[in-house]
Amino acid sequence: MSLLDQNWGGAGGADDEAQDDNQQGRQIVTTRDGTLMLIECTPEMFESLSNTMESDSSIDDNNELETGFQLVMRACQSFYQSKIISNDKDLSGIILYGTEKNKNTFDFNHIYILHELAQPSAERIMQLEALSNKNTYKKTYNDLFGSTQSKNYSLNEALWTCSNLFANSPQRLTIKRVFIFTCNDQPHASNLTLERQAKQRAKDLNDVGIEVEVFPILTESITKFDYKKFFQDVLMLSDDELELRNNQAPTGRLNELLKLVYSKEHKKRAYCTVPFSLGETSDGTPLQFSVSVFNMVRPCPKPTKIKLDMKTNMETKIVTKHYLPETAEILMPSDIQYGIDVSNRRVLFDADEIKAIKKFSDPGFQILGFKNISCLLPHHYVKPGHFIYPDEKYVEGSSCLFNALLKKCLEKQMFILCQFTARRNTPPRLVALIPQAEEINKKDPSDRIASNGFHVHYLPYADDIRTLPKNDIPRITDDKVDVFKNIIRGLKFKYRPDRFENPALQILWRNIEATALNKDKPEEFDDLTIPNVENQNKKVDKYTTEIKQMFFPPDYVMGVTKRAATKRKAEAAATSTSEKKRKPDDDVNVEAAARNNSLNKLTVPILKDYCKEKNLKAAGTKKQDLIDAIEKHLTITT
Amino acid sequence: MASNKEALALVVDIGVGMSQTAPGFDSPLQITSDILQMIVQRKMFQQSKDELALILYGGDETNNDLADENNYQNISVVFSLSPANWHLFEEIQKIKPGNNPADLIDAIVVAADHLRRETEGKRGYVAKRVLLFTNAATPFNDHSLKVILDSLRLQDITVDAIGPSWGQEEEDGDENDRPDSPTQTNGHNEDSASARPTTNGHHHHRNQKKPLTPQQKTGIRIINDIVNTTEGSLFTFREALGMLSIHQSKTVKPTATKYIMQLADIKLHICTYIQVKDNKPGIFRLKKVYARDPKSEIKVDRGRYTKDEHDEEIEKEELTDGFRYGTTFVPINKETLDDMKYQSEKCFSVIGFSDANMMRRSLYLGDTVYEVIAEPTYEEEAQTFTGLVQAMYDTNTVAIVRKCFSERSSPELGFLRPHIAHDHICMYYVKLPFAEDLREFNFDNLDVIKRNLPSAEQLKTVDNLITTMDLSHADRGREEAFQPELISDPYIQRMFQSIAQRAVTPDEPLSLSNTIMEMNDTLIQSIARKSKRTLDTVNEQFILRDTNRRQKIATGEALFGNNDISAKKARLEDNNEEFTTDSTSFEAQAAAKKKAAIKTVGTVTPVEDFKILIEQGSPSLTDVCKQMCTLIFDLINNSHGDSLFEKALQCIQCLREICIDKLEPKIFNDFEVVLKAHSSDIDGRKDFWKKIVDEKISLITSEECIESNVIPIEAKKFLEEETAIQALNNAPINNEQDDEEEDLFDLI
């Protein structure tokens, strides 16, 4: 996935500055990537693929992709599709070289800009589909680029075109990449000048921060791709890297592109960077270091529904106006006050005061003390937390003190209790800073399971904790508990947070894509959150049967059987049974009452239920509205 | 449905004993008044149906139905039984110490009689209660106590008594019987709530401890008797404040959401209850009203317009739903949309079990902790459920669950953690992330860089710091300090205080307190004292160097850009950061605010206002200019079409003149830079910038004003050059905001 997701360079990230600015109410600097696909269109690209390539490209469902060109088009298509989900602000474009026709600002021969650098769209994707489809690709290609291919291109000019597109990009790009798709490991073998120019150009690109990547395509006639011949200098590979490349299967990285990925890319930057205050020394010096706050887990947003103008299918915007009901006068913010009605008195505040009420202290952590981890009770949670890591940018030396706190908290099994203000006008919350040591996967040292730092865990206030009645059911005996333990053992697995995809989100993404691209049906999705009861039963059948015999009468159907109201306390039974079998009775009641003109004697919930059942729409929510609706309904039906 | 309101008689001793106190301490009456105000506030804010009466005894007045020449003197029913309102609140604020004797028994009789009269024949009262506030310092007559007790019992009236102390820290046993204790998981230690927020926020109750008089001892014995007979409770002032939060949580009635939990072949009826959820009182919903006539509520019109230069309004019928697919707009009608939705059934299915240690707290998602119990009606299933909880508890496992509330809602992933206490057995459910919700951050091991490695000495200092600041047993009675169960949300407290303050004294500026800090003042101070030495050592041993980068940003921002730096705000700000609050500073602020109210640049005649203020010379030039700048942004931002552009232009020209005149070109030039950046990237505001260019309102040059360091050619270029335009970015604003609480108070 690294090809899709290269937005992240090392810890601490240079991007959090942008976020800080954002926090201060400034411009939001969106960071975008730009990717250009530079695709060779020589006759070899239209040969059948080599066996290695064909068998490896798992994506090709029904042997659609016979030629290298088709394969590359499919890769570009997948890249676009994945980008739309992961980060649709990123820009991409496609340039072909070796074509008959040309289309570029410099009138270079045999260079054709198929897609300028822009955000992907459904049109582009459908065009690429036509260019990879077995039945249409030839005609589409010929129509667009001319039927013959030429080797008289200059890779130098092609790269120059790329560099020019980047230079003219309307957006600031953080990462600029050129992907070259070619089956020719020495494009200018016969022309040393061109070769030298191309290498020089590649170096220039590198100097201005444009990365170049090569995806070799192997065909029937071209079965080997030797980076040493030419591309070592283009990619600026060291000899070690060259060795590695030449031994790699050429399909590896291409497959990565071909794979459709439905996953959102998250901006990897700090939520905020704030001071962490330990208190004051005896001479009143505030003791502060600096930490960056990150969000490790947040619900991935669903694609937002937008409102379109039916006539044009174009986007619309909302304009919010405040006006006085009597005079329809449009008001300015300074004309607006905020009121709360309490006991017939309207209490007024202005906007600044509302803000001032929310403002307690400047953003940051204020230490209150330390507590034993065991003070954290299972239900102490209110909202998703953060992760903090020291920041040296604002206060040098933060890391060392932070590290010392971390080590000692881990050793003593303590957490830090702080008052935390995240933003300027956000009221403070109590947070527990839970120490986290680095954890490395023992089997794979490059897989870091957890980074070192503190988890910021929000604690509830007394106001947030509800008082619930005690539930004191007699405990069951140990021998019986053992049967349950067997079930647990049978159904135990190692939970990993990345294991389950969100079914609702995945289905929506796929459906939008299918609609946008005029597909008959969306890509399939395997929902792992639905437990396979059959499999579960296979593992624990023995024990569940035992449990059934242990606790239940023989004819009992779990989850269904209603209690025969025998020895239950009257009230408990009454509420649950009345609820269970209310429906038919109530209908009769309602209808009888309607006939007797005594509907208003029934309670609103009963009337409401009836309306719901019969699908009646009441004009309002008042009781009379419901009664009106029911009466109307009954005179029509009876 | 019968309502379940309470009839509550607040009986307050205002006699001599209640106002006696050593200097520097709050009198019992003062504390009582604070508690009463808080009770009334809460009742009002929660729109409680409970009815209250206020009865004072020990004052000069006599006003009650039982009084005759000799009996029931000095007892006054100031407020008859009815739902709480501001009138009652003001009556409480008016309470003045009296110096007459009064009989607490008599007062109880009057209260009981009043409750009887007012509730007789009316329905819907679940409880009748007398809350007696006294320190039992004045004598009384108890000869007919037995009759009175019988009568109270007969009427089913409970008597609770609240006072400074009830002798030797009595742990009154019957407290534990209350089913609604707030600290169900952690036992009872209300005593450790070292203090509670009060109405006046910045008040510190220091309540003097002194030995009881013989009269008080007798009084306490009798009160004890009454309280016990009527099954009431004794509370100290501190506990009473604790009790208030109980009263509050009562208003949220636990409602069960029922599911069938499935585990392989086992299906069980279960109930889920909200255990923890961020509480945002409904009362905080603000109405937008017209400043000049607060009675009229403002209506909001959200019209849909085409997103082009025409700005045409589109009717509702001409709109269709859609999604963005890259740059393509995909219209989707309602029916298709419903088809596209993921279909699920209501469920609560166990996917499997996992080691509890895998459930890092950092994975928790969602905003709620649910308690899960078996539905009690199904006895056999409840036993099975209990067995499962016990087995999970013993094996330290959690269950991973797929939960779906209804067919229409999206399924979520969560886990169940078993919880067993001596009198309680349940599971807690918390939501877990899906793969898409994870953000894969990787941070380097801190030890990799040498200078991040603390020395043995440094580690020892930090070790000391942890020991000196250990809160696990820091509270009085060696209990854990700062327990979440005992800390009230300071924002709710402050909002309540502000509403009450504004309602009673609308013209005063708000005084803003920070209850967490204030209520735990003693503790915080003591920890600060203890840790000071260690902090000194930390300061010596760890070198922390501020790079001053933050300051730069702060000042840049203070000038422009952020609307909340208005003059008024600056004055209101920061009272709260100090732990101790100085009341004189509040008065000073009050004066300042009133004065300033006439002194702002208004939207009606901004140019004139501005000129007048400049002439007055106060507030400072910078302040007035700041106001002007803010106002200009307001005008531009709120202009529909170009209707307000003309006014804004006039303001800008005026500001420019003044800045040249007063030799402050930087103010204007900085402003124009911000304005340019601001205008050139927002749809519809570009036109305004065009106007500026057309009018040739350039930066102030060195030719116009010697203080300027802008040469004319630069100024010209500044107007001509386009800023690097952020491409039209019609994305719904940055998703990173998801963490900001977006409630109604996030204005503008």
Side-chain angles (χ1 to χ4, degrees):
Chain A
M1 218 177 302
S2 65
L3 289 172
L4 266 177
D5 176 11
Q6 288 209 342
N7 208 351
W8 178 237
D15 277 338
D16 60 1
E17 186 91 51
Q19 180 63 16
D20 271 358
D21 289 353
N22 179 14
Q23 180 197 340
Q24 311 275 2
R26 291 177 171 209
Q27 292 296 306
I28 298 165
V29 184
T30 35
T31 55
R32 297 162 189 253
D33 294 358
T35 310
L36 284 175
M37 315 281 187
L38 187 56
I39 301 161
E40 183 190 0
C41 292
T42 50
E44 290 87 354
M45 287 291 281
F46 294 87
E47 286 178 8
S48 294
L49 283 164
S50 75
N51 286 335
T52 45
M53 289 234 63
E54 239 179 316
S55 55
D56 272 18
S57 38
S58 51
I59 311 307
D60 190 7
D61 12 3
N62 33 6
N63 272 338
E64 276 263 322
L65 313 171
E66 292 163 347
T67 66
F69 182 77
Q70 284 172 283
L71 185 68
V72 172
M73 284 299 131
R74 176 59 66 87
C76 293
Q77 186 195 336
S78 303
F79 183 81
Y80 277 5
Q81 278 176 257
S82 301
K83 265 292 176 205
I84 281 181
I85 306 286
S86 71
N87 200 343
D88 68 353
K89 297 284 169 294
D90 285 351
L91 308 183
S92 359
I94 295 179
I95 301 164
L96 308 182
Y97 64 97
T99 53
E100 182 187 325
K101 295 185 189 171
N102 49 311
K103 184 180 157 199
N104 59 70
T105 37
F106 306 106
D107 280 327
F108 292 139
N109 284 328
H110 312 300
I111 291 177
Y112 194 102
I113 302 177
L114 174 60
H115 293 156
E116 298 270 354
L117 205 53
Q119 288 167 246
S121 68
E123 292 76 28
R124 286 189 170 191
I125 292 170
M126 287 191 281
Q127 189 180 40
L128 293 180
E129 200 161 22
L131 282 166
S132 70
N133 183 294
K134 187 160 60 177
N135 305 317
T136 57
Y137 86 94
K138 259 213 181 90
K139 185 174 180 322
T140 323
Y141 180 90
N142 291 346
D143 290 353
L144 281 168
F145 319 115
S147 51
T148 56
Q149 288 100 30
S150 162
K151 290 211 163 190
N152 293 324
Y153 57 83
S154 153
L155 198 58
N156 165 36
E157 289 170 352
L159 288 171
W160 191 356
T161 309
C162 293
S163 141
N164 186 255
L165 283 184
F166 279 127
N168 293 330
S169 159
Q171 273 97 15
R172 197 173 72 91
L173 298 171
T174 31
I175 290 175
K176 295 171 223 167
R177 290 179 297 182
V178 176
F179 290 169
I180 304 176
F181 297 87
T182 178
C183 47
N184 200 337
D185 57 7
Q186 198 176 10
H188 297 304
S190 54
N191 188 333
L192 270 175
T193 322
L194 280 181
E195 183 171 296
R196 211 188 53 243
Q197 282 175 347
K199 284 181 182 173
Q200 181 56 42
R201 180 66 59 195
K203 193 174 170 302
D204 292 350
L205 256 58
N206 185 58
D207 288 347
V208 295
I210 300 172
E211 301 163 28
V212 180
E213 189 52 74
V214 173
F215 294 83
I217 306 295
L218 301 183
T219 66
E220 280 177 335
S221 64
I222 297 167
T223 52
K224 205 178 163 323
F225 193 93
D226 187 359
Y227 282 87
K228 195 170 167 58
K229 281 185 184 160
F230 173 72
F231 280 101
Q232 179 180 16
D233 292 339
V234 172
L235 303 179
M236 284 171 245
L237 301 175
S238 69
D239 285 346
D240 290 348
E241 286 168 323
L242 175 75
E243 183 83 2
L244 203 71
R245 286 282 178 127
N246 273 339
N247 292 329
Q248 254 172 10
T251 47
R253 278 166 310 125
L254 189 64
N255 276 343
E256 213 174 287
L257 277 187
L258 279 163
K259 208 162 87 193
L260 256 180
V261 183
Y262 294 92
S263 130
K264 185 122 197 122
E265 182 189 312
H266 300 287
K267 284 275 174 282
K268 299 208 163 143
R269 61 186 180 199
Y271 168 63
C272 57
T273 300
V274 294
F276 188 114
S277 166
L278 288 169
E280 286 179 359
T281 59
S282 9
D283 59 355
T285 327
L287 204 55
Q288 285 189 342
F289 60 96
S290 177
V291 290
S292 286
V293 184
F294 299 87
N295 292 334
M296 306 290 262
V297 179
R298 282 298 177 277
C300 179
K302 279 200 182 159
T304 33
K305 221 162 62 177
I306 50 174
K307 292 276 181 199
L308 299 175
D309 185 347
M310 233 182 236
K311 287 173 296 204
T312 58
N313 272 346
M314 288 313 282
E315 223 181 347
T316 58
K317 66 180 174 198
I318 276 191
V319 176
T320 310
K321 280 182 271 186
H322 296 285
Y323 66 94
L324 278 177
E326 296 94 53
T327 59
E329 190 188 338
I330 306 291
L331 299 171
M332 303 272 302
S334 56
D335 296 326
I336 300 174
Q337 274 199 315
Y338 295 84
I340 296 176
D341 295 339
V342 184
S343 281
N344 297 324
R345 200 175 285 190
R346 182 161 285 172
V347 182
L348 296 172
F349 298 100
D350 46 55
D352 286 343
E353 287 173 324
I354 295 292
K355 269 190 187 161
I357 292 173
K358 292 183 105 182
K359 193 194 160 176
F360 282 72
S361 49
D362 285 328
F365 291 89
Q366 165 78 49
I367 195 168
L368 294 171
F370 299 83
K371 278 192 196 183
N372 198 290
I373 291 280
S374 63
C375 293
L376 272 181
L377 302 180
H379 65 277
H380 283 167
Y381 168 82
V382 264
K383 57 176 186 173
H386 314 281
F387 185 81
I388 52 170
Y389 192 79
D391 152 75
E392 291 281 317
K393 204 166 59 204
Y394 291 119
V395 180
E396 284 171 14
S398 295
S399 303
C400 185
L401 182 48
F402 183 95
N403 201 11
L405 280 167
L406 180 62
K407 284 184 190 307
K408 277 295 163 185
C409 283
L410 282 168
E411 181 193 310
K412 298 171 83 110
Q413 282 294 296
M414 302 287 270
F415 69 82
I416 311 178
L417 184 73
C418 285
Q419 180 177 262
F420 174 48
T421 305
R423 300 274 159 111
R424 202 167 264 282
N425 294 323
T426 333
R429 275 260 167 205
L430 291 185
V431 292
L433 303 184
I434 306 170
Q436 172 69 56
E438 180 174 79
E439 280 171 34
I440 302 282
N441 190 342
K442 281 188 196 98
K443 287 173 207 144
D444 175 11
S446 68
D447 177 16
R448 190 184 276 145
I449 301 169
S451 301
N452 54 356
F454 284 94
H455 297 293
V456 181
H457 186 77
Y458 284 98
L459 295 173
Y461 284 120
D463 312 69
D464 306 327
I465 303 173
R466 311 266 181 107
T467 305
L468 298 174
K470 295 268 183 242
N471 177 50
D472 199 6
I473 299 174
R475 313 291 189 263
I476 61 170
T477 50
D478 281 352
D479 55 319
K480 287 181 180 169
V481 172
D482 285 342
V483 187
F484 287 99
K485 286 185 186 164
N486 286 330
I487 294 187
I488 291 172
R489 219 161 286 137
L491 297 179
K492 203 160 170 183
F493 71 109
K494 201 165 186 187
Y495 168 79
R496 278 201 65 141
D498 55 5
R499 224 178 135 136
F500 300 96
E501 287 183 311
N502 183 347
L505 187 59
Q506 292 289 343
I507 296 286
L508 185 58
W509 276 340
R510 285 163 162 77
N511 273 319
I512 293 171
E513 181 185 84
T515 317
L517 304 179
N518 293 327
K519 292 222 161 96
D520 302 336
K521 61 177 198 322
E523 292 281 323
E524 274 179 35
F525 169 68
D526 191 10
D527 187 351
L528 294 175
T529 64
I530 301 177
N532 186 335
V533 177
E534 231 169 84
N535 276 349
Q536 288 185 334
N537 277 338
K538 253 182 240 156
K539 287 181 193 154
V540 295
D541 204 13
K542 202 168 85 195
Y543 310 113
T544 49
T545 320
E546 207 175 320
I547 284 169
K548 282 180 205 166
Q549 286 162 356
M550 226 153 45
F551 293 104
F552 297 97
D555 58 339
Y556 192 94
V557 188
M558 273 193 285
V560 179
T561 303
K562 278 176 210 151
R563 280 289 317 166
T566 46
K567 54 188 172 174
R568 273 281 99 202
K569 277 182 197 153
E571 47 166 9
T575 49
S576 76
T577 46
S578 74
E579 207 165 80
K580 296 252 148 53
K581 53 179 186 183
R582 190 165 73 197
K583 283 201 171 136
D585 292 2
D586 284 349
D587 287 358
V588 178
N589 282 345
V590 171
E591 280 161 28
R595 273 189 289 277
N596 299 334
N597 243 343
S598 59
L599 271 179
N600 56 358
K601 286 198 180 134
L602 298 176
T603 64
V604 173
I606 290 182
L607 297 175
K608 253 194 194 151
D609 279 355
Y610 182 83
C611 287
K612 215 167 166 190
E613 190 127 307
K614 303 279 170 190
N615 232 338
L616 306 181
K617 285 246 155 64
T621 50
K622 291 213 182 75
K623 191 170 186 181
Q624 195 55 48
D625 297 329
L626 297 170
I627 293 174
D628 288 350
I630 294 169
E631 280 174 348
K632 197 172 154 208
H633 165 76
L634 289 175
T635 44
I636 293 165
T637 52
T638 52
Chain B
M1 221 171 76
S3 71
N4 46 354
K5 58 187 173 188
E6 227 178 19
L8 199 63
L10 306 168
V11 180
V12 184
D13 179 355
I14 59 172
V16 205
M18 289 289 278
S19 45
Q20 283 169 349
T21 185
F25 291 96
D26 286 324
S27 71
L29 190 58
Q30 180 59 49
I31 301 172
T32 300
S33 165
D34 282 344
I35 296 175
L36 288 173
Q37 289 181 34
M38 197 153 157
I39 294 176
V40 174
Q41 270 178 39
R42 299 241 158 181
K43 297 280 181 208
M44 281 194 286
F45 294 159
Q46 287 154 15
Q47 288 152 322
S48 158
K49 291 204 177 70
D50 291 353
E51 296 184 5
L52 285 82
L54 179 64
I55 298 162
L56 307 178
Y57 74 98
D60 298 334
E61 277 178 45
T62 303
N63 170 24
N64 67 72
D65 291 334
L66 299 177
D68 58 37
E69 266 151 50
N70 300 314
N71 296 312
Y72 301 106
Q73 287 297 307
N74 305 104
I75 299 173
S76 173
V77 180
V78 204
F79 185 86
S80 308
L81 195 70
S82 53
N85 59 29
W86 292 109
H87 179 61
L88 170 59
F89 191 77
E90 280 154 353
E91 284 298 336
I92 291 169
Q93 291 194 317
K94 274 195 267 176
I95 293 178
K96 290 221 169 53
N99 36 25
N100 285 300
D103 189 319
L104 75 90
I105 306 273
D106 278 357
I108 292 175
V109 173
V110 169
D113 174 65
H114 183 74
L115 287 180
R116 184 184 54 76
R117 279 173 211 260
E118 296 294 325
T119 56
E120 212 160 54
K122 294 185 204 160
R123 294 178 52 205
Y125 296 96
V126 285
K128 282 174 270 184
R129 190 185 282 266
V130 171
L131 277 183
L132 177 67
F133 292 83
T134 183
N135 60 352
T138 42
F140 54 87
N141 181 345
D142 63 349
H143 59 83
S144 50
L145 185 62
K146 185 154 186 333
V147 186
I148 292 165
L149 284 180
D150 287 344
S151 148
L152 284 173
R153 234 189 337 230
L154 201 70
Q155 287 186 60
D156 222 1
I157 293 179
T158 315
V159 179
D160 295 324
I162 296 141
S165 85
W166 300 109
Q168 292 310 308
E169 295 288 14
E170 285 176 78
E171 286 290 337
D172 217 313
D174 56 6
E175 225 178 287
N176 289 333
D177 298 336
R178 276 181 295 118
D180 50 6
S181 161
T183 53
Q184 54 160 4
T185 22
N186 227 24
H188 305 270
N189 40 8
E190 278 175 41
D191 198 42
S192 63
S194 49
R196 280 268 167 182
T198 70
T199 314
N200 300 331
H202 48 277
H203 251 284
H204 288 287
H205 292 306
R206 289 183 215 286
N207 135 30
Q208 192 189 8
K209 276 241 157 86
K210 57 177 185 186
L212 298 171
T213 62
Q215 174 61 44
Q216 278 179 307
K217 281 185 186 151
T218 325
I220 288 169
R221 198 173 32 89
I222 300 294
I223 290 172
N224 237 323
D225 211 9
I226 300 173
V227 166
N228 283 338
T229 318
T230 60
E231 293 175 349
S233 315
L234 284 180
F235 299 102
T236 61
F237 282 147
R238 195 184 310 120
E239 289 164 345
L241 286 159
M243 192 182 69
L244 286 176
S245 61
I246 301 167
H247 273 280
Q248 184 187 29
S249 46
K250 240 185 199 168
T251 56
V252 188
K253 232 178 150 191
T255 38
T257 309
K258 294 178 180 178
Y259 292 93
I260 307 270
M261 172 169 144
Q262 179 159 21
L263 165 59
D265 228 4
I266 300 174
K267 290 181 186 155
L268 308 172
H269 284 86
I270 54 162
C271 300
T272 65
Y273 292 92
I274 294 175
Q275 174 72 69
V276 181
K277 190 181 171 105
D278 192 358
N279 174 31
K280 287 216 183 83
I283 186 94
F284 292 1
R285 230 160 278 142
L286 299 167
K287 284 188 184 124
K288 285 184 176 159
V289 298
Y290 186 39
R292 265 165 268 178
D293 173 19
K295 273 192 215 80
S296 44
E297 271 173 47
I298 293 172
K299 288 267 157 63
V300 181
D301 170 68
R302 286 180 216 279
R304 282 274 170 188
Y305 292 82
T306 53
K307 205 168 182 173
D308 51 25
E309 57 275 21
H310 303 303
D311 271 347
E312 278 173 62
E313 183 156 11
I314 314 166
E315 297 299 321
K316 254 208 177 108
E317 300 74 50
E318 293 172 348
L319 287 169
T320 175
D321 285 327
F323 289 98
R324 200 179 276 114
Y325 184 73
T327 53
T328 311
F329 299 118
V330 188
I332 287 170
N333 62 29
K334 204 137 185 85
E335 295 77 55
T336 330
L337 196 66
D338 286 340
D339 289 346
M340 276 168 58
K341 266 224 181 112
Y342 180 78
Q343 305 292 330
S344 172
E345 282 166 20
K346 177 166 183 158
C347 67
F348 201 104
S349 331
V350 175
I351 301 169
F353 296 90
S354 181
D355 212 337
N357 300 332
M358 299 299 288
M359 296 301 127
R360 272 196 213 114
R361 274 182 181 256
S362 51
L363 290 173
Y364 291 16
L365 210 60
D367 58 358
T368 319
V369 179
Y370 292 96
E371 183 194 84
V372 181
I373 58 167
E375 206 179 315
T377 352
Y378 300 84
E379 224 167 77
E380 296 89 345
E381 292 180 18
Q383 272 192 358
T384 315
F385 183 83
T386 310
L388 182 62
V389 180
Q390 283 176 262
M392 282 164 65
Y393 195 86
D394 290 351
T395 50
N396 193 27
T397 44
V398 297
I400 311 292
V401 173
R402 171 192 160 104
K403 172 177 154 238
C404 188
F405 174 69
S406 74
E407 281 163 38
R408 299 186 55 80
S409 52
S410 306
E412 60 178 58
L413 198 70
F415 75 100
L416 288 169
R417 183 189 288 279
H419 175 71
I420 300 179
H422 69 283
D423 56 350
H424 190 61
I425 183 160
C426 71
M427 297 212 245
Y428 289 118
Y429 172 89
V430 180
K431 201 173 147 181
L432 285 174
F434 287 112
E436 296 89 341
D437 307 332
L438 299 172
R439 308 187 176 185
E440 314 233 328
F441 283 102
N442 251 307
F443 300 101
D444 290 333
N445 191 325
L446 285 163
D447 295 344
V448 170
I449 298 173
K450 247 204 198 104
R451 83 193 143 89
N452 294 345
L453 263 179
S455 65
E457 197 187 22
Q458 284 174 323
L459 281 174
K460 194 159 170 283
T461 309
V462 170
D463 194 296
N464 280 339
L465 186 72
I466 295 178
T467 315
T468 48
M469 294 185 84
D470 190 347
L471 299 169
S472 307
H473 308 285
D475 207 345
R476 297 160 6 117
R478 314 286 295 148
E479 289 287 345
E480 177 192 340
F482 287 112
Q483 277 186 54
E485 281 79 5
L486 297 171
I487 308 267
S488 297
D489 188 339
Y491 169 58
I492 295 181
Q493 300 301 329
R494 194 190 255 192
M495 197 70 194
F496 279 175
Q497 287 160 15
S498 303
I499 296 171
Q501 204 195 337
R502 187 46 59 84
V504 178
T505 50
D507 298 325
E508 302 248 329
L510 301 171
S511 59
L512 303 173
S513 63
N514 181 348
T515 48
I516 295 190
M517 291 305 182
E518 279 166 22
M519 292 308 135
N520 296 288
D521 186 33
T522 339
L523 178 66
I524 290 174
Q525 300 281 354
S526 104
I527 292 171
R529 260 196 312 278
K530 266 199 281 178
S531 58
K532 200 125 277 183
R533 270 256 193 83
T534 327
L535 284 178
D536 286 344
T537 326
V538 172
N539 195 29
E540 281 159 29
Q541 289 180 351
F542 291 89
I543 296 148
L544 295 170
R545 200 181 69 82
D546 195 330
T547 56
N548 284 326
R549 284 208 214 186
R550 197 175 287 280
Q551 259 82 31
K552 265 179 235 152
I553 294 171
T555 30
E557 187 208 24
L559 258 182
F560 306 108
N562 216 337
N563 300 0
D564 67 354
I565 316 281
S566 73
K568 202 184 272 174
K569 159 94 191 214
R571 255 171 268 118
L572 282 169
E573 219 169 31
D574 295 348
N575 311 327
N576 34 59
E577 281 175 2
E578 278 135 3
F579 292 168
T580 47
T581 338
D582 179 4
S583 62
T584 53
S585 74
F586 282 121
E587 279 159 31
Q589 280 159 18
K593 189 198 167 184
K594 272 190 183 155
K595 227 169 145 197
I598 339 156
K599 288 194 168 184
T600 47
V601 183
T603 47
V604 190
T605 52
V607 173
E608 284 78 1
D609 291 2
F610 180 62
K611 281 182 178 161
I612 291 169
L613 287 173
I614 292 290
E615 233 152 76
Q616 281 179 355
S618 91
S620 73
L621 178 76
T622 351
D623 275 350
V624 182
C625 289
K626 252 190 249 169
Q627 283 186 28
M628 190 65 168
C629 297
T630 315
L631 184 100
I632 294 169
F633 278 123
D634 277 356
L635 287 171
I636 304 171
N637 289 336
N638 295 304
S639 173
H640 185 61
D642 59 2
S643 57
L644 295 170
F645 284 1
E646 199 49 46
K647 202 174 214 176
L649 266 184
Q650 286 170 6
C651 292
I652 290 177
Q653 264 157 346
C654 173
L655 178 70
R656 192 168 187 275
E657 281 163 28
I658 297 285
C659 283
I660 294 174
D661 207 36
K662 301 279 178 193
L663 299 181
E664 287 283 2
K666 194 171 181 315
I667 295 182
F668 180 83
N669 288 353
D670 285 353
F671 164 74
E672 194 168 6
V673 171
V674 177
L675 178 71
K676 183 177 176 183
H678 186 76
S679 307
S680 51
D681 67 275
I682 299 176
D683 241 0
R685 307 291 168 236
K686 268 180 262 167
D687 302 348
F688 184 76
W689 180 247
K690 242 188 98 209
K691 271 194 193 300
I692 299 260
V693 176
D694 291 347
E695 298 278 331
K696 297 206 173 57
I697 306 177
S698 71
L699 298 172
I700 298 172
T701 64
S702 49
E703 281 181 4
E704 292 170 283
C705 177
I706 48 162
E707 290 289 320
S708 170
N709 48 14
V710 179
I711 52 172
I713 187 119
E714 275 177 346
K716 193 157 171 266
K717 220 171 134 197
F718 176 76
L719 281 186
E720 284 165 359
E721 262 175 15
E722 282 200 29
T723 22
I725 298 166
Q726 284 275 333
L728 283 186
N729 174 359
N730 23 18
I733 328 154
N734 203 341
N735 275 325
E736 288 297 318
Q737 285 181 352
D738 50 7
D739 303 285
E740 258 298 59
E741 295 170 69
E742 284 286 336
D743 60 10
L744 271 152
F745 310 128
D746 276 332
L747 309 157
I748 306 169

